[in-house]
Structure formats: structure tokens, C-alpha cells
Amino acid sequence: MDTDVLIVGAGPTGLMLANQLARRGVRAQIIDRHGGPARETRARGVQARTLEIYAHLGIVGRALELGKRGSGANIWSQGQWMAHVPLNDAGDGVTPYPYILVLGQDDNELIMGERLRELGMSVQWNTELTGLVQHSDHVAAALKQPDGSSRTITVGWVAGCDGARSTVREACGITFPGAPYEHVFFVADTEMTGSMVPDQVNVYLWREGFHLFFPMRGKDHWRLVGILPKGLRGKEDVGFEVVIPSLSQEAGGGLSFKQCLWFSTYRIHHRSAVRFRDRRCFVLGDAAHIHSPVGAQGMNTGLQDAYNLGWKLALVVQGRADATLLDSYEAERVPVARRLLDTTDRGFRLVVSDNPLAGIFRTQILARIIAFGMRRKWVQRIAFRIISQTGIHYRPSPLSRSLDGFASGAPQAGDRFPWLKVKLDANGAVEDLFETLDDTRFNLIVIGQPAPSEPTLGLGDLLRVCTVADDRGNDAELLRAQIPRPSFYLLRPDGYVGLCGTRLRPGALSDYVAERLQIERSPG
């Protein structure tokens, strides 16, 4: 093999997968047909779940330094303020990052690229995949190199992170059904002042569409996203100055524009690949699914694709797990993508519809429903878990198994394990459990019972055992998260619960490892 994994595409998804493989010592190459990283991008919202992953990768501090925290969102209708969505309150206790971080795709690529180079891997720019042939034990990948010459390399696996026009997807014959929306959208980076609530996302609904204002770092710096007015949709070389009248009309006449740093128009598609795997090839991110920008979910979903596949692929490449483990990538991520595509598509069609009745519903009824609902804490918390992606679960996954029935509110097999602050040592300090967990290994959380000896569990150095101490403060924290005592939770490297139950019986974990994960039992 020339390399174990070939990653095609060095956008956020490809860089995340490359980082996850590099951290685990897997030989990988990452290529991109472009000459360098993106400079102008549309993706801008980094959700809480992504920031949790960034923390494990060691780059969350850099992301927070470069980004702008949006502590809430405001809904406006026909220029009138209607509702406030308090992200800080809604996400309190759910995650260390109860906000949306406004950080452009270019900066996300920058910090992941920096981390990748620290791990000893660099992107091979101006290198294009031109074809591939799959065999039973390898893939022959044809590459066009920077000097224009061609060569064929032998690789174990191929990850297509190469966008909506994915060469990997097309070479595998994976269809990509869907269609473009009829509207033309614009994105602009501006320096401006106006009625917008500072440091928060502002959503302006109007009879013919919407405008989104995202706070960016720097004084009076906003990124705008909206629908191009009807009269401009068929014209070429449209500039920012021609959309200012519609902005002023719908978002308030008090807008004052100092300068526009970047402006672009584009069309949006809604598509999902019929499958995410073909033998030794996978598709991730925009190569697997593209959808509307509602909720700032697109880039974050691709990053979670990579986080899901990375640990599984590493175990298989290293010979520690059977290749059947990789079947769970598609089983887990396809439902997430389809559900996201369905919900964002329905919501987006309502928001952008040109139908006059839809316009009235959007500005009069929908705005009031949002205003009414957002006064209720439980609605805020549900909305936050959806938008932040902390509520994504894999309960139907073949990797999810519960040995005992927990109450419906308790964390279940397939759930993201909740964020806790607990004492792991009765005489020690309170610790942030997310900071303690090692996402390059499995983590066994033991509560209200003695921890078993690690050699009997069957995972060897792939496992770390954490015991939650008997402590009054711990009891209160467990009650808040509805975690029963006694209980145990085996967390996968990506932080989702693989196996859970009350009492950890002898052989239960090793049986799960062998049967569900197909991991070879470690000696001793």
C-alpha cells in the first residue's frame, strides 16, 4: 500500500478526518485539486457539538480567539422586533459552549490545517483524483499531479470529502438525487451599523423572504445572507449596492453601510446520496448531503461525519477491528443526514416561498409563534439541542446496546453522554468530565459500584476507566442529568454511549466488544 487511507478534498470535512486519523497513527494522504485553502466561504456557524470535538483536537481556544460568540438570536418581522432566543440560558448545563460561534469556513480550515501540520501531515494541493478501481483488498487511485503528470497509487480505503461534485461519489456510481431551489441567494461581509442586537444573530423575516445578520469579530462587522430581489435574479455581475434598497426596506431604514468586504451570489441545492459507502470508498460532508443554510448545520454535519468514521476506520486499518465495523458509519449517519435534509427543506421552503399567503404566514403567524414559544424554557432547550447538534443520537445503531431499561429521561445507548462536572476522586476536586475523557480510546464510566479490573474487559489499552465517586455534589449532578445510581456507561471514542446498564456483570463488556464492535480481544 502507498497509504492506508486516501482523503480526497481538503475542506473542513477532509481536514477533520485527516486529523482524526493522524492522531491515531494511521498512514493517510489528503489531496485537493485546488491550489490552496478557501479564502471566501459561505459556511459561518460553528455549533456547540463541533466545539466539543475541537476541544479534544486541541484547537477550541484558537477557534474562540478567531470567532465571534453569538449568545442569542433575535427574530424581526417587517422591521419590528418579535422575539429573543437566549442560547446561553437554553444551553446552560448541556455543553461547555452554550452559543453559536460565528467563524468562517476559511478560518475553520486554517486552524484544522495548522493542527494537521503539527501532527506531521500536510495537504497535497493541486492534486486531483481522476479515477479509481476497487479491488477486494485495495483501491487503485489515479491522480493528476501538480506538474500535470499522472500516476496510480494503491490505497486501502478512500474517503470522498470532495464536495457536491464529488469525483469519488461519481466513480462509485452513487446517485445524488435532489434539486436546486429556484431562488438566488447572496452573502456579504460588511462593516455596518443598524437596528441589529449586537453580538447576536438577527433574523429578519419579510413578505418575500428573509435576511440573516451574523456578528463577526471586529467592530461593526456583520455577515449578511439573504435572497436576491426578484428583479435581479436573472442578471449577471450583481453587486452589493443593488441589494441595499431591499435591505434598508426590510431590515430598517437605520442601516448604515461603511464598506462591503466581499459579496457573492449563489444557488442552493438539496440533495442526499442514496448511500454513503461503496465497498472500500466512503462519501462524507457535501459529497454525501447538501441542504439549505437554515440553522447553520451543513459544515457541522460534515465534521460529525468525519468524527464518526475516523475512529472506526483507524481500528480497522490497525487490524484491531473487523471491517464490518465500518457498516455502522452509513447506518448511523444516513438517518441524520436524511432527517436534517427533510426538516431544513420544509422549513426553508416556508421561509423563502414567494406565495403571498406564505409571506403573510411567515411575517404575521410564524413570527408570533416563535415569540410565544421562546418565552418557555422547555421550548428553548429543545431548540438548542437541535440547533447545537448535541441532541443527535444513534439509538437504532447496531453499536447501541442497553442491558437494562432506564427511565425515558436517562441517557440511553446511542445518546451523546451528557456533560458533567463531578469528582472522580472522593478527596479530589470537581472535574469537567469532557476534559477528562480521552477521545482516542473507549471510556467506561462507572457509577455507584466498584470499577472492574481493566484486563478483564477485553479492550486493553483502548479503554480508560473512570469511576464517579460517592459524593453529595456528584449525586446532585447525576440527578440533574437523570443518570441512575448504580449504572455504567461505555462511551465510544466519539462520546456516544455504546453499552449501558445498571450493574456491570462479568463478561458483559467483553461480549459487547466482540459481538457489536467486532474488536479483537486484547491479550490478558
Side-chain angles (χ1 to χ4, degrees):
M1 297 288 180
D2 293 295
T3 191
D4 291 315
V5 181
L6 175 65
I7 301 169
V8 183
T13 301
L15 289 169
M16 174 60 76
L17 182 60
N19 270 282
Q20 296 305 325
L21 296 177
R23 296 173 68 210
R24 292 165 170 84
V26 173
R27 288 191 312 152
Q29 290 183 25
I30 177 170
I31 65 171
D32 196 290
R33 63 185 179 85
H34 296 100
R39 294 184 179 181
E40 299 172 340
T41 57
R42 302 181 191 118
R44 62 214 151 265
V46 181
Q47 302 293 355
R49 180 58 186 150
T50 295
L51 293 174
E52 292 173 359
I53 296 170
Y54 279 4
H56 286 299
L57 192 53
I59 60 175
V60 72
R62 180 73 168 136
L64 296 178
E65 174 189 332
L66 292 177
K68 182 85 168 182
R69 303 184 194 192
S71 59
N74 294 272
I75 310 298
W76 301 74
S77 175
Q78 299 292 94
Q80 179 181 357
W81 181 87
M82 298 293 292
H84 175 245
V85 183
L87 297 180
N88 275 342
D89 293 341
D92 184 42
V94 176
T95 175
Y97 312 101
Y99 43 80
I100 181 172
L101 183 72
V102 183
L103 182 70
Q105 180 179 326
D106 50 349
D107 283 330
N108 282 276
E109 292 181 10
L110 171 68
I111 61 176
M112 280 191 281
E114 290 174 345
R115 182 67 179 123
L116 186 62
R117 287 189 292 274
E118 291 172 0
L119 293 168
M121 189 187 303
S122 297
V123 177
Q124 298 174 27
W125 299 106
N126 293 308
T127 304
E128 183 177 1
L129 177 74
T130 57
L132 57 83
V133 178
Q134 297 199 57
H135 301 272
S136 61
D137 60 349
H138 71 278
V139 180
L143 305 181
K144 181 180 178 181
Q145 301 184 110
D147 62 2
S149 64
S150 298
R151 74 182 181 108
T152 298
I153 62 173
T154 301
V155 303
W157 306 89
V158 175
C161 307
D162 47 345
R165 295 182 176 86
S166 170
T167 302
V168 174
R169 189 189 62 241
E170 293 179 1
C172 292
I174 300 175
T175 56
F176 200 38
Y181 293 102
E182 59 181 298
H183 301 80
V184 178
F185 301 85
F186 73 84
V187 58
D189 277 359
T190 66
E191 188 179 349
M192 59 177 289
T193 58
S195 60
M196 303 82 67
V197 178
D199 300 329
Q200 298 191 17
V201 178
N202 289 261
V203 181
Y204 290 86
L205 301 175
W206 46 290
R207 290 287 178 90
E208 297 184 0
F210 72 98
H211 289 120
L212 304 178
F213 289 59
F214 293 89
M216 303 290 284
R217 70 177 184 272
K219 182 177 174 56
D220 299 330
H221 186 185
W222 295 85
R223 176 165 289 185
L224 313 185
V225 177
I227 300 176
L228 209 61
K230 280 185 179 179
L232 302 174
R233 293 176 191 174
K235 297 182 178 181
E236 297 183 2
D237 300 323
V238 174
F240 179 65
E241 65 281 353
V242 298
V243 304
I244 290 179
S246 68
L247 281 168
S248 298
Q249 178 183 353
E250 307 301 341
L255 297 182
S256 176
F257 297 96
K258 299 179 181 178
Q259 62 175 326
C260 178
L261 305 172
W262 171 58
F263 178 81
S264 179
T265 60
Y266 61 100
R267 287 188 178 273
I268 295 174
H269 290 241
H270 51 104
R271 300 180 183 276
S272 179
V274 294
R275 61 186 190 278
F276 288 8
R277 180 187 180 188
D278 177 51
R279 294 166 289 171
R280 289 183 165 268
C281 296
F282 303 87
V283 289
L284 303 81
D286 285 355
H289 44 77
I290 50 175
H291 38 76
S292 83
V294 168
Q297 301 292 293
M299 180 179 68
N300 296 274
T301 304
L303 294 174
Q304 287 213 54
D305 289 345
Y307 200 50
N308 182 287
L309 179 62
W311 67 270
K312 300 170 183 177
L313 197 52
L315 288 174
V316 172
V317 167
Q318 293 163 349
R320 305 192 71 165
D322 188 83
T324 55
L325 174 63
L326 299 174
D327 294 339
S328 65
Y329 165 68
E330 183 174 84
E332 292 176 350
R333 295 306 296 172
V334 165
V336 171
R338 299 272 167 81
R339 185 166 55 249
L340 177 62
L341 186 68
D342 182 50
T343 54
T344 58
D345 183 51
R346 281 186 284 135
F348 198 59
R349 287 185 183 278
L350 176 62
V351 169
V352 304
S353 174
D354 289 333
N355 186 297
L357 291 178
I360 294 172
F361 178 82
R362 181 167 55 242
T363 56
Q364 299 298 322
I365 301 174
L366 178 62
R368 284 176 169 79
I369 290 174
I370 295 173
F372 178 79
M374 284 304 133
R375 298 191 192 105
R376 283 144 181 80
K377 292 289 186 183
W378 66 271
V379 175
Q380 294 174 12
R381 295 184 75 82
I382 290 174
F384 178 82
R385 287 182 181 274
I386 293 172
I387 294 171
S388 67
Q389 299 196 342
T390 57
I392 289 174
H393 68 81
Y394 305 132
R395 290 187 182 181
S397 168
L399 303 188
S400 301
R401 182 184 181 191
S402 178
L403 299 182
D404 306 282
F406 288 150
S408 59
Q412 309 287 327
D415 290 354
R416 161 190 166 273
F417 192 74
W419 177 49
L420 301 176
K421 289 187 175 181
V422 293
K423 288 184 179 180
L424 300 179
D425 184 334
N427 298 318
V430 173
E431 300 181 44
D432 182 327
L433 188 62
F434 277 13
E435 293 181 359
T436 302
L437 300 178
D438 181 351
D439 76 334
T440 64
R441 297 191 284 177
F442 291 82
N443 294 270
L444 178 63
I445 312 296
V446 181
I447 302 160
Q449 58 191 300
S453 61
E454 294 187 28
T456 67
L457 299 177
L459 280 167
D461 62 356
L462 281 177
L463 180 69
R464 182 175 183 216
V465 179
C466 299
T467 303
V468 177
D470 291 330
D471 176 83
R472 183 174 299 177
N474 284 355
D475 290 342
E477 186 75 343
L478 295 172
L479 180 63
R480 179 188 65 79
Q482 301 186 58
I483 296 175
R485 177 188 286 274
S487 61
F488 72 90
Y489 289 88
L490 176 68
L491 309 189
R492 308 165 1 166
D494 58 6
Y496 285 86
V497 178
L499 176 71
C500 63
T502 51
R503 293 287 179 182
L504 182 55
R505 297 183 292 272
L509 195 146
S510 57
D511 289 346
Y512 168 82
V513 168
E515 295 169 7
R516 298 293 180 106
L517 300 178
Q518 300 289 304
I519 293 177
E520 296 292 334
R521 182 179 174 89
S522 298

